[in-house]
Amino acid sequence: MKIDFAALVRPKQGVLVLTAAEGRKLGQFAQALDKTLGGAIGRALAGAPRFTGAKGQWLEIVGPGGGLGRILLAGLGKPADLKAEAFETVAGDAVRRANATGDATLAVAIDLPAGAKAAPAEAAARAALGLRLGGYRFDKYRTKLKDTEKPSLKSALVLTEAVAAAKRAYQPLAALADGVTLTRNLVSEPANVIYPESLAAECRKLAKLGVKVEVLGEKAMKKLGMGALLGVGQGSVRESQLVVMQWLGGKKGQAPVSFVGKGVCFDTGGISIKPAAGMEGMKWDMGGAGAVIGAMAALAGRKAKANVIGVVALVENMPDGNAQRPGDIVTSMSGQTIEVINTDAEGRLILCDAMWYTQERFKPQIMVDLATLTGAIIMSLGHEHAGLFANNDELAERLAAAGKGEDEKLWRLPLSEAYNKALNSPIADMQNIAGPGAGAGSITAAQFLQRFVKDGTAWAHLDIAGTAWSNADKPTVPKGATAFGVRLLNRLVQDHYEG
Ligand code: BES
Ligand code: MN
Ligand code: ZN
């Protein structure tokens, strides 16, 4: 679907999206249009008493005249509360409505109600972002879709009185949409297509955006002493990979921001094998790595003025004659030894080496890891918030605020010595899961990671097991891979680490 901006005039055909504020208040454009259409909008409103203009409401006006196929009127809520971001939701919702109906073209009018503080150009840019995110589909393996099941939209226009400014405002958002789309594609792919080496090859493609990409194979990781990471991958015929991505758009020599992602391309649980039901979902156990890759694409795509390192640990966790056994003791790159009680607690084993490597090599000012780490976080927070753990209040607050702003919400959970103790092992420096009865599985997992955070590194861990995949359609986040984390990381950098 082609997306463009055009002047705010009545389109000659197709679907037109208009907006009304609470109290059914139309903007100037809609009011003028209603006159040229002989009062079609007013009549429709008169016949729909429950349409008040509240946020999330829609009114469909069929055959309004003037060549238009339909008008979709969206409620915006109170003008005083209206933010430009509201147009993301309106456009994201509209694009799927139009695709379902079979429209070939769609136009979204940016027609702000009186009293709205949002800038028209920003609202228009946000509408374009909403079209991209809401129109996302992963159909590449559906070879028998009927024409009537395929998305019908060929093009979409955002109509605004500020075309040039809207185009400028959209540039960084287009890069963000590219990053989100990349992540959604990677996370949606099955594990026979996206495995450590093929995912590393996808990372290599970021070089065209100016990202420096290095790939370490098993030999290089062995040399570095990454026994924890390598142990997880040893039962797989696929070679484990560690990918280092550098976007150096900031001041030369300035300590970088770093993101570390869990990239378990498939998690069977290993010898501590998972039950069959739902195991297919473990293809998205690389959602943390996917988010880091998409964030790097977004940051490079919009030429962020920051130094950012993205490190992703890519493995496949398989049962096999050569697989790691429960009870095995591995030595991590940090030198600390780990008794592997449960081979299904593999995410922390790969992250601990990736995090240590990141700190040793880059001395980052902050390190944020993202991981589909624990089923327990779904028990705690469901699919609304991802878990946030941090050793630094400022970083935690910045992340929480970025998440709120991008609708990728976080909720902070505690870390403390009592939880940490539960990981002590009688035979090694620690075990990879807490002893029986400890509870708090997401917290003890975070405590494990914290044992690999160096003094002085501001660190946060985001447990995205409940948010990386969605079974519910939302306007800008259709069912499936959400790309949770891409927007949040992009915003974090934009608000605090640029310039
Ligand atoms: N990848 C899983 C966590 C997960 C579960 C992600 C459900 C998404 C949905 C992780 O590797 C895992 O298996 N964790 C175990 C840890 C346990 C063995 C301590 C879990 O949560 O059950
Ligand atoms: Mn697991
Ligand atoms: Zn896992």
Side-chain angles (χ1 to χ4, degrees):
M1 183 179 64
K2 233 181 90 228
I3 296 172
D4 210 348
F5 298 88
L8 185 55
V9 293
R10 172 163 60 90
K12 293 192 178 58
Q13 71 223 357
V15 196
L16 173 63
V17 176
L18 296 175
T19 48
E22 187 72 65
R24 330 173 112 204
K25 289 201 185 74
L26 299 175
Q28 274 183 8
F29 173 73
Q31 285 178 32
L33 179 68
D34 193 29
K35 281 203 189 104
T36 70
L37 296 176
I41 301 172
R43 280 196 302 280
L45 282 170
R50 290 196 182 170
F51 181 89
T52 61
K55 233 186 183 146
Q57 282 189 329
W58 286 88
L59 180 64
E60 185 165 350
I61 307 172
V62 179
L68 292 170
R70 282 171 307 134
I71 288 173
L72 299 176
L73 186 62
L76 286 176
K78 294 196 180 73
D81 304 336
L82 182 63
K83 295 203 185 93
E85 283 87 342
F87 283 87
E88 270 181 43
T89 310
V90 167
D93 217 338
V95 67
R96 288 212 298 289
R97 285 168 185 269
N99 270 332
T101 318
D103 302 290
T105 66
L106 168 74
V108 181
I110 306 304
D111 179 29
L112 294 172
K117 277 183 226 96
E122 182 64 18
R126 291 282 162 184
L129 175 62
L131 291 171
R132 289 278 310 270
L133 301 184
Y136 176 81
R137 319 231 316 190
F138 189 75
D139 283 343
K140 75 185 262 207
Y141 298 110
R142 306 185 70 186
T143 66
K144 292 183 190 291
L145 275 184
K146 297 191 196 83
D147 279 346
T148 53
E149 294 166 332
K150 290 182 187 160
S152 56
L153 286 174
K154 299 279 173 276
S155 63
L157 283 176
V158 178
L159 307 180
T160 170
E161 62 205 16
V163 171
K167 282 185 176 166
R168 251 177 283 129
Y170 179 54
Q171 268 173 16
L173 299 180
L176 177 59
D178 290 343
V180 168
T181 303
L182 173 62
T183 302
R184 288 181 183 170
N185 285 340
L186 295 175
V187 175
S188 301
E189 287 284 3
N192 60 329
V193 176
I194 285 294
Y195 48 89
E197 282 169 310
S198 62
L199 187 47
E202 293 296 322
C203 295
R204 278 210 169 94
K205 293 183 187 166
L206 297 189
K208 68 174 184 288
L209 296 173
V211 178
K212 197 175 146 202
V213 185
E214 296 158 68
V215 180
L216 281 66
E218 290 184 353
K219 201 168 142 208
M221 287 191 273
K222 195 159 191 183
K223 218 164 162 191
L224 288 161
M226 296 189 172
L229 189 158
L230 289 168
V232 175
Q234 80 186 30
S236 171
V237 297
R238 310 287 194 189
E239 185 180 335
S240 301
Q241 312 270 286
L242 187 85
V243 183
V244 182
M245 294 164 278
Q246 302 186 47
W247 168 254
L248 302 175
K251 291 195 191 79
K252 209 168 171 216
Q254 188 173 56
V257 163
S258 67
F259 303 136
V260 181
K262 169 181 172 181
V264 177
C265 296
F266 197 79
D267 181 13
T268 63
I271 295 299
S272 313
I273 197 163
K274 288 182 180 295
M279 202 203 276
E280 70 282 0
M282 285 299 107
K283 72 172 183 181
W284 51 264
D285 207 19
M286 37 61 76
V292 170
I293 296 163
M296 295 305 292
L299 292 164
R302 67 172 181 80
K303 300 196 164 39
K305 290 188 173 58
N307 296 332
V308 186
I309 308 295
V311 174
V312 292
L314 310 180
V315 301
E316 186 181 55
N317 188 21
M318 296 295 270
D320 177 73
N322 191 45
Q324 168 157 273
R325 292 149 292 254
D328 282 6
I329 297 176
V330 294
T331 303
S332 66
M333 182 183 175
S334 73
Q336 300 179 90
T337 58
I338 305 159
E339 184 188 8
V340 180
I341 302 291
N342 187 317
T343 65
D344 197 11
E346 84 296 338
R348 60 198 80 179
L349 294 171
I350 67 171
L351 284 171
C352 73
D353 278 338
M355 285 165 53
W356 194 261
Y357 175 86
T358 302
Q359 293 168 92
E360 286 267 290
R361 178 163 170 201
F362 296 106
K363 314 223 162 9
Q365 51 171 316
I366 62 162
M367 176 169 68
V368 181
D369 77 80
L370 291 91
T372 49
L373 203 63
T374 65
I377 204 68
I378 308 175
M379 296 297 128
S380 313
L381 300 174
H383 308 285
E384 267 305 296
H385 291 82
L388 162 63
F389 302 83
N391 67 358
N392 180 291
D393 292 341
E394 184 185 59
L395 177 57
E397 279 156 27
R398 288 177 171 184
L399 281 161
K404 226 177 204 165
E406 298 292 314
D407 201 21
E408 292 184 339
K409 296 188 287 296
L410 303 175
W411 196 262
R412 192 172 180 185
L413 291 166
L415 292 164
S416 77
E417 186 46 34
Y419 295 114
N420 182 43
K421 264 203 212 137
L423 294 165
N424 290 342
S425 159
I427 187 171
D429 296 336
M430 71 194 84
Q431 45 193 45
N432 76 327
I433 61 168
S442 305
I443 302 177
T444 54
Q447 292 291 167
F448 180 96
L449 297 178
Q450 193 174 15
R451 290 185 179 218
F452 300 85
V453 176
K454 295 188 170 193
D455 280 345
T457 305
W459 158 77
H461 157 58
L462 309 184
D463 191 335
I464 62 169
T467 52
W469 191 270
S470 169
N471 295 316
D473 263 324
K474 291 202 212 145
T476 53
V477 189
K479 269 187 198 157
T482 60
F484 187 101
V486 175
R487 298 188 61 157
L488 188 155
L489 295 180
N490 178 60
R491 167 80 74 117
L492 178 77
V493 170
Q494 183 173 312
D495 285 355
H496 300 288
Y497 301 100
E498 283 194 64

